[in-house]
Amino acid sequence: MKLISADASPFARKCRILIHEAGLGDRVEVVSLTTTPINTDPQVASANPAGKLPALLRDSGPALYDSRVITRYLDEISGAGLYPQARIWEVLTLEATADAMMDAAVLMVYEHRVRPADKVDEGWIEAQWAKITRSLNALDARWMSHLSGPLDMAQIAVATALTYLDFRHADRSWRDTRPDLAAWHSKFCERDSMVATAPK
């Protein structure tokens, strides 16, 4: 199998972390490339008609895309148990929260990257950050006990989202008013899978 990835993509990184945690490194080749919404790499377009990363090329069957589809599939074939049935709805909800944060954070980046400077909509950017702020507050207020529990995909997704905020939006200083969440993230980032996949 091949994972079509990009080093800076948080969605692709989430899959790479799972590959590491699930011991699938010898079964999944990671193919890193560069693509943008306005200049889509042909390999990406071939694997995913929406032109988004990541995509998983399987030895048999069509390509899989959307990071949550890929992580569920890789967890299933590896038996890693990162989607435990006993708390599946909490895991899926928390993963969706993390993905929404990443989506908003990526949109903030593209607002500056693909628009002329005089067309950048600061109101749009702040609206995306408001989504992230509400999500951070929810994590801090409601989800710390889950994050501190046994490893699952929700924790991987949240840690990936928080690292992306550090990577692209460090000036927003999300840690300053959320010491418990910040401490959890710092500890989680010591995992081998996080170190091995850290954005450059």
mmCIF file of all heavy atoms in Angstrom, residues 105-134:
data_model
loop_
_atom_site.group_PDB
_atom_site.id
_atom_site.type_symbol
_atom_site.label_atom_id
_atom_site.label_comp_id
_atom_site.label_asym_id
_atom_site.label_seq_id
_atom_site.Cartn_x
_atom_site.Cartn_y
_atom_site.Cartn_z
ATOM 1 N N ALA A 105 -7.735 25.692 10.725
ATOM 2 C CA ALA A 105 -6.360 26.190 10.743
ATOM 3 C C ALA A 105 -5.744 26.193 9.345
ATOM 4 O O ALA A 105 -5.006 27.126 8.986
ATOM 5 C CB ALA A 105 -5.516 25.350 11.692
ATOM 6 N N VAL A 106 -6.035 25.174 8.549
ATOM 7 C CA VAL A 106 -5.535 25.116 7.170
ATOM 8 C C VAL A 106 -6.165 26.231 6.338
ATOM 9 O O VAL A 106 -5.491 26.891 5.534
ATOM 10 C CB VAL A 106 -5.805 23.732 6.555
ATOM 11 C CG1 VAL A 106 -5.551 23.745 5.055
ATOM 12 C CG2 VAL A 106 -4.940 22.663 7.221
ATOM 13 N N LEU A 107 -7.460 26.466 6.523
ATOM 14 C CA LEU A 107 -8.128 27.539 5.780
ATOM 15 C C LEU A 107 -7.512 28.899 6.096
ATOM 16 O O LEU A 107 -7.407 29.761 5.216
ATOM 17 C CB LEU A 107 -9.622 27.539 6.100
ATOM 18 C CG LEU A 107 -10.431 26.386 5.505
ATOM 19 C CD1 LEU A 107 -11.862 26.431 6.017
ATOM 20 C CD2 LEU A 107 -10.403 26.414 3.982
ATOM 21 N N MET A 108 -7.108 29.100 7.341
ATOM 22 C CA MET A 108 -6.431 30.346 7.704
ATOM 23 C C MET A 108 -5.128 30.507 6.926
ATOM 24 O O MET A 108 -4.804 31.603 6.448
ATOM 25 C CB MET A 108 -6.156 30.369 9.202
ATOM 26 C CG MET A 108 -7.393 30.512 10.066
ATOM 27 S SD MET A 108 -7.034 30.285 11.832
ATOM 28 C CE MET A 108 -6.034 31.745 12.170
ATOM 29 N N VAL A 109 -4.381 29.421 6.791
ATOM 30 C CA VAL A 109 -3.130 29.459 6.041
ATOM 31 C C VAL A 109 -3.393 29.792 4.576
ATOM 32 O O VAL A 109 -2.749 30.679 3.990
ATOM 33 C CB VAL A 109 -2.381 28.117 6.159
ATOM 34 C CG1 VAL A 109 -1.184 28.070 5.199
ATOM 35 C CG2 VAL A 109 -1.917 27.888 7.598
ATOM 36 N N TYR A 110 -4.384 29.119 3.983
ATOM 37 C CA TYR A 110 -4.648 29.330 2.561
ATOM 38 C C TYR A 110 -5.205 30.716 2.269
ATOM 39 O O TYR A 110 -5.026 31.236 1.164
ATOM 40 C CB TYR A 110 -5.607 28.258 2.034
ATOM 41 C CG TYR A 110 -4.907 26.950 1.731
ATOM 42 C CD1 TYR A 110 -5.453 25.730 2.121
ATOM 43 C CD2 TYR A 110 -3.706 26.930 1.029
ATOM 44 C CE1 TYR A 110 -4.808 24.535 1.851
ATOM 45 C CE2 TYR A 110 -3.056 25.750 0.754
ATOM 46 C CZ TYR A 110 -3.619 24.550 1.159
ATOM 47 O OH TYR A 110 -2.967 23.377 0.882
ATOM 48 N N GLU A 111 -5.881 31.314 3.233
ATOM 49 C CA GLU A 111 -6.403 32.664 3.004
ATOM 50 C C GLU A 111 -5.273 33.628 2.667
ATOM 51 O O GLU A 111 -5.417 34.505 1.814
ATOM 52 C CB GLU A 111 -7.179 33.142 4.231
ATOM 53 C CG GLU A 111 -7.845 34.494 4.062
ATOM 54 C CD GLU A 111 -8.994 34.507 3.059
ATOM 55 O OE1 GLU A 111 -9.485 33.418 2.683
ATOM 56 O OE2 GLU A 111 -9.394 35.619 2.647
ATOM 57 N N HIS A 112 -4.133 33.456 3.315
ATOM 58 C CA HIS A 112 -2.976 34.302 2.998
ATOM 59 C C HIS A 112 -2.187 33.765 1.806
ATOM 60 O O HIS A 112 -1.600 34.543 1.047
ATOM 61 C CB HIS A 112 -2.038 34.386 4.213
ATOM 62 C CG HIS A 112 -2.509 35.334 5.271
ATOM 63 N ND1 HIS A 112 -2.476 36.697 5.117
ATOM 64 C CD2 HIS A 112 -3.039 35.102 6.498
ATOM 65 C CE1 HIS A 112 -2.944 37.285 6.199
ATOM 66 N NE2 HIS A 112 -3.296 36.344 7.058
ATOM 67 N N ARG A 113 -2.181 32.452 1.644
ATOM 68 C CA ARG A 113 -1.288 31.854 0.654
ATOM 69 C C ARG A 113 -1.815 31.961 -0.768
ATOM 70 O O ARG A 113 -1.036 32.094 -1.713
ATOM 71 C CB ARG A 113 -1.040 30.390 1.025
ATOM 72 C CG ARG A 113 0.022 29.723 0.177
ATOM 73 C CD ARG A 113 0.414 28.383 0.741
ATOM 74 N NE ARG A 113 1.131 28.510 2.004
ATOM 75 C CZ ARG A 113 1.473 27.484 2.776
ATOM 76 N NH1 ARG A 113 1.145 26.258 2.416
ATOM 77 N NH2 ARG A 113 2.134 27.680 3.896
ATOM 78 N N VAL A 114 -3.126 31.885 -0.946
ATOM 79 C CA VAL A 114 -3.657 31.821 -2.311
ATOM 80 C C VAL A 114 -4.355 33.101 -2.762
ATOM 81 O O VAL A 114 -4.678 33.237 -3.934
ATOM 82 C CB VAL A 114 -4.610 30.617 -2.491
ATOM 83 C CG1 VAL A 114 -3.918 29.327 -2.137
ATOM 84 C CG2 VAL A 114 -5.887 30.779 -1.682
ATOM 85 N N ARG A 115 -4.596 34.032 -1.849
ATOM 86 C CA ARG A 115 -5.236 35.290 -2.235
ATOM 87 C C ARG A 115 -4.209 36.417 -2.335
ATOM 88 O O ARG A 115 -3.247 36.457 -1.568
ATOM 89 C CB ARG A 115 -6.292 35.706 -1.205
ATOM 90 C CG ARG A 115 -7.541 34.877 -1.200
ATOM 91 C CD ARG A 115 -8.546 35.488 -0.238
ATOM 92 N NE ARG A 115 -9.697 34.660 -0.020
ATOM 93 C CZ ARG A 115 -10.767 34.646 -0.806
ATOM 94 N NH1 ARG A 115 -10.816 35.432 -1.863
ATOM 95 N NH2 ARG A 115 -11.790 33.856 -0.542
ATOM 96 N N PRO A 116 -4.438 37.362 -3.232
ATOM 97 C CA PRO A 116 -3.623 38.584 -3.222
ATOM 98 C C PRO A 116 -3.792 39.298 -1.874
ATOM 99 O O PRO A 116 -4.858 39.207 -1.251
ATOM 100 C CB PRO A 116 -4.204 39.426 -4.369
ATOM 101 C CG PRO A 116 -4.960 38.452 -5.221
ATOM 102 C CD PRO A 116 -5.443 37.373 -4.306
ATOM 103 N N ALA A 117 -2.765 39.992 -1.451
ATOM 104 C CA ALA A 117 -2.779 40.618 -0.125
ATOM 105 C C ALA A 117 -3.990 41.531 0.071
ATOM 106 O O ALA A 117 -4.573 41.585 1.161
ATOM 107 C CB ALA A 117 -1.490 41.397 0.091
ATOM 108 N N ASP A 118 -4.402 42.240 -0.975
ATOM 109 C CA ASP A 118 -5.513 43.180 -0.828
ATOM 110 C C ASP A 118 -6.874 42.483 -0.834
ATOM 111 O O ASP A 118 -7.909 43.132 -0.646
ATOM 112 C CB ASP A 118 -5.469 44.249 -1.926
ATOM 113 C CG ASP A 118 -5.612 43.659 -3.326
ATOM 114 O OD1 ASP A 118 -5.275 42.473 -3.524
ATOM 115 O OD2 ASP A 118 -6.064 44.393 -4.228
ATOM 116 N N LYS A 119 -6.876 41.178 -1.043
ATOM 117 C CA LYS A 119 -8.129 40.416 -1.053
ATOM 118 C C LYS A 119 -8.286 39.532 0.189
ATOM 119 O O LYS A 119 -9.316 38.875 0.358
ATOM 120 C CB LYS A 119 -8.194 39.520 -2.295
ATOM 121 C CG LYS A 119 -8.125 40.253 -3.618
ATOM 122 C CD LYS A 119 -9.329 41.143 -3.833
ATOM 123 C CE LYS A 119 -9.278 41.779 -5.227
ATOM 124 N NZ LYS A 119 -10.392 42.725 -5.430
ATOM 125 N N VAL A 120 -7.274 39.489 1.036
ATOM 126 C CA VAL A 120 -7.351 38.663 2.245
ATOM 127 C C VAL A 120 -8.458 39.186 3.150
ATOM 128 O O VAL A 120 -8.545 40.385 3.421
ATOM 129 C CB VAL A 120 -5.999 38.659 2.989
ATOM 130 C CG1 VAL A 120 -6.133 38.003 4.364
ATOM 131 C CG2 VAL A 120 -4.943 37.942 2.156
ATOM 132 N N ASP A 121 -9.311 38.277 3.596
ATOM 133 C CA ASP A 121 -10.457 38.628 4.438
ATOM 134 C C ASP A 121 -10.120 38.323 5.893
ATOM 135 O O ASP A 121 -10.198 37.173 6.326
ATOM 136 C CB ASP A 121 -11.684 37.838 3.984
ATOM 137 C CG ASP A 121 -12.964 38.272 4.674
ATOM 138 O OD1 ASP A 121 -12.889 38.850 5.777
ATOM 139 O OD2 ASP A 121 -14.055 38.013 4.126
ATOM 140 N N GLU A 122 -9.755 39.349 6.638
ATOM 141 C CA GLU A 122 -9.384 39.147 8.031
ATOM 142 C C GLU A 122 -10.578 38.675 8.872
ATOM 143 O O GLU A 122 -10.411 37.944 9.848
ATOM 144 C CB GLU A 122 -8.792 40.425 8.620
ATOM 145 C CG GLU A 122 -7.456 40.827 8.009
ATOM 146 C CD GLU A 122 -6.346 39.818 8.258
ATOM 147 O OE1 GLU A 122 -6.443 39.046 9.226
ATOM 148 O OE2 GLU A 122 -5.375 39.798 7.472
ATOM 149 N N GLY A 123 -11.765 39.095 8.491
ATOM 150 C CA GLY A 123 -12.956 38.619 9.191
ATOM 151 C C GLY A 123 -13.134 37.123 9.049
ATOM 152 O O GLY A 123 -13.507 36.428 10.014
ATOM 153 N N TRP A 124 -12.864 36.621 7.856
ATOM 154 C CA TRP A 124 -12.927 35.174 7.609
ATOM 155 C C TRP A 124 -11.893 34.443 8.457
ATOM 156 O O TRP A 124 -12.187 33.419 9.071
ATOM 157 C CB TRP A 124 -12.683 34.912 6.129
ATOM 158 C CG TRP A 124 -12.412 33.497 5.772
ATOM 159 C CD1 TRP A 124 -11.201 32.927 5.538
ATOM 160 C CD2 TRP A 124 -13.372 32.443 5.607
ATOM 161 N NE1 TRP A 124 -11.330 31.600 5.242
ATOM 162 C CE2 TRP A 124 -12.655 31.271 5.269
ATOM 163 C CE3 TRP A 124 -14.759 32.378 5.695
ATOM 164 C CZ2 TRP A 124 -13.274 30.059 5.035
ATOM 165 C CZ3 TRP A 124 -15.384 31.168 5.455
ATOM 166 C CH2 TRP A 124 -14.652 30.023 5.135
ATOM 167 N N ILE A 125 -10.693 34.979 8.511
ATOM 168 C CA ILE A 125 -9.629 34.361 9.308
ATOM 169 C C ILE A 125 -10.030 34.306 10.778
ATOM 170 O O ILE A 125 -9.871 33.271 11.444
ATOM 171 C CB ILE A 125 -8.304 35.132 9.128
ATOM 172 C CG1 ILE A 125 -7.768 34.935 7.702
ATOM 173 C CG2 ILE A 125 -7.264 34.692 10.152
ATOM 174 C CD1 ILE A 125 -6.575 35.799 7.356
ATOM 175 N N GLU A 126 -10.559 35.392 11.302
ATOM 176 C CA GLU A 126 -10.952 35.408 12.713
ATOM 177 C C GLU A 126 -12.128 34.474 12.978
ATOM 178 O O GLU A 126 -12.233 33.899 14.066
ATOM 179 C CB GLU A 126 -11.271 36.832 13.155
ATOM 180 C CG GLU A 126 -10.060 37.746 13.193
ATOM 181 C CD GLU A 126 -8.894 37.150 13.976
ATOM 182 O OE1 GLU A 126 -9.115 36.638 15.101
ATOM 183 O OE2 GLU A 126 -7.753 37.204 13.477
ATOM 184 N N ALA A 127 -12.998 34.307 12.001
ATOM 185 C CA ALA A 127 -14.108 33.362 12.162
ATOM 186 C C ALA A 127 -13.587 31.929 12.256
ATOM 187 O O ALA A 127 -14.115 31.113 13.023
ATOM 188 C CB ALA A 127 -15.088 33.492 10.998
ATOM 189 N N GLN A 128 -12.541 31.619 11.486
ATOM 190 C CA GLN A 128 -11.935 30.288 11.582
ATOM 191 C C GLN A 128 -11.270 30.101 12.939
ATOM 192 O O GLN A 128 -11.384 29.046 13.566
ATOM 193 C CB GLN A 128 -10.905 30.082 10.463
ATOM 194 C CG GLN A 128 -11.455 30.221 9.058
ATOM 195 C CD GLN A 128 -12.731 29.444 8.841
ATOM 196 O OE1 GLN A 128 -12.825 28.247 9.149
ATOM 197 N NE2 GLN A 128 -13.750 30.119 8.332
ATOM 198 N N TRP A 129 -10.587 31.149 13.418
ATOM 199 C CA TRP A 129 -9.947 31.028 14.724
ATOM 200 C C TRP A 129 -10.983 30.898 15.839
ATOM 201 O O TRP A 129 -10.739 30.230 16.846
ATOM 202 C CB TRP A 129 -9.015 32.201 14.994
ATOM 203 C CG TRP A 129 -8.249 31.987 16.268
ATOM 204 C CD1 TRP A 129 -8.431 32.617 17.464
ATOM 205 C CD2 TRP A 129 -7.226 31.011 16.482
ATOM 206 N NE1 TRP A 129 -7.578 32.105 18.414
ATOM 207 C CE2 TRP A 129 -6.818 31.113 17.824
ATOM 208 C CE3 TRP A 129 -6.601 30.060 15.672
ATOM 209 C CZ2 TRP A 129 -5.832 30.303 18.386
ATOM 210 C CZ3 TRP A 129 -5.606 29.255 16.217
ATOM 211 C CH2 TRP A 129 -5.236 29.377 17.555
ATOM 212 N N ALA A 130 -12.137 31.504 15.665
ATOM 213 C CA ALA A 130 -13.205 31.363 16.669
ATOM 214 C C ALA A 130 -13.647 29.904 16.782
ATOM 215 O O ALA A 130 -13.922 29.416 17.888
ATOM 216 C CB ALA A 130 -14.387 32.264 16.311
ATOM 217 N N LYS A 131 -13.699 29.206 15.659
ATOM 218 C CA LYS A 131 -14.031 27.774 15.694
ATOM 219 C C LYS A 131 -12.977 27.003 16.492
ATOM 220 O O LYS A 131 -13.301 26.119 17.290
ATOM 221 C CB LYS A 131 -14.100 27.200 14.269
ATOM 222 C CG LYS A 131 -15.178 27.786 13.390
ATOM 223 C CD LYS A 131 -15.053 27.234 11.982
ATOM 224 C CE LYS A 131 -16.005 27.924 11.023
ATOM 225 N NZ LYS A 131 -15.841 27.426 9.630
ATOM 226 N N ILE A 132 -11.729 27.340 16.247
ATOM 227 C CA ILE A 132 -10.633 26.672 16.945
ATOM 228 C C ILE A 132 -10.689 26.984 18.436
ATOM 229 O O ILE A 132 -10.516 26.088 19.276
ATOM 230 C CB ILE A 132 -9.285 27.091 16.336
ATOM 231 C CG1 ILE A 132 -9.170 26.582 14.898
ATOM 232 C CG2 ILE A 132 -8.120 26.581 17.178
ATOM 233 C CD1 ILE A 132 -8.020 27.162 14.111
ATOM 234 N N THR A 133 -10.943 28.239 18.771
ATOM 235 C CA THR A 133 -11.011 28.631 20.179
ATOM 236 C C THR A 133 -12.115 27.881 20.914
ATOM 237 O O THR A 133 -11.908 27.387 22.034
ATOM 238 C CB THR A 133 -11.242 30.150 20.294
ATOM 239 O OG1 THR A 133 -10.118 30.830 19.720
ATOM 240 C CG2 THR A 133 -11.396 30.573 21.744
ATOM 241 N N ARG A 134 -13.291 27.789 20.302
ATOM 242 C CA ARG A 134 -14.387 27.046 20.934
ATOM 243 C C ARG A 134 -14.010 25.582 21.120
ATOM 244 O O ARG A 134 -14.323 24.965 22.145
ATOM 245 C CB ARG A 134 -15.662 27.167 20.099
ATOM 246 C CG ARG A 134 -16.282 28.554 20.104
ATOM 247 C CD ARG A 134 -17.681 28.555 19.528
ATOM 248 N NE ARG A 134 -17.732 28.137 18.145
ATOM 249 C CZ ARG A 134 -17.658 28.967 17.099
ATOM 250 N NH1 ARG A 134 -17.484 30.271 17.291
ATOM 251 N NH2 ARG A 134 -17.732 28.508 15.857
#
